[in-house]
């Protein structure tokens, strides 16, 4: 499935000193909560920390992906055959 998102912004000059921005991009007036990050220690903290620094990826992002994909089960196997964390 192909999803196409079109964001439009156009500046309309009314007077030399004034400008109006017309857009279909919604404004966010309050912060949107992110995923809940559990503050639990795992057997994989040292590995996650090492590769987080090596590749410049946030440790919490790595933990969230591992949790969602395999619940930290190193023997997990998906329906498509993906294995591990």
């Amino acid at each position: 499935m192909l999803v196409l998102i079109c964001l439009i912004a156009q500046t309309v000059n009314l007077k030399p000193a004034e400008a109006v921005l017309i857009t279909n991009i919604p404004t966010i007036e309050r912060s949107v909560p992110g995923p809940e990050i559990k503050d639990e220690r795992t057997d994989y903290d040292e590995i996650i920390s090492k590769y987080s620094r090596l590749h410049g990826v946030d440790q919490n992002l790595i933990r969230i992906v591992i949790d969602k994909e395999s619940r930290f089960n190193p023997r997990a196997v998906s329906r498509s055959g993906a294995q591990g964390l």
Side-chain angles (χ1 to χ4, degrees), residues 7-73:
L7 304 175
I8 301 171
Q10 177 181 7
T11 302
V12 178
N13 292 316
L14 300 176
K15 295 179 184 176
E18 295 180 354
V20 176
L21 180 65
I22 302 170
T23 180
N24 70 341
I25 303 170
T27 58
I28 298 175
E29 302 201 7
R30 59 183 168 77
S31 63
V32 178
E36 184 178 325
I37 299 169
K38 299 173 185 173
D39 191 22
E40 298 176 2
R41 305 299 297 166
T42 70
D43 295 338
Y44 306 102
D45 287 342
E46 288 181 32
I47 297 169
I48 291 170
S49 180
K50 174 184 174 181
Y51 287 99
S52 168
R53 286 190 310 272
L54 182 66
H55 295 287
V57 178
D58 187 279
Q59 290 182 32
N60 291 322
L61 175 61
I62 295 171
R63 284 186 181 91
I64 290 168
V65 171
I66 291 172
D67 185 53
K68 294 297 178 191
E69 291 290 326
S70 67
R71 296 272 193 237
F72 285 89
N73 177 0

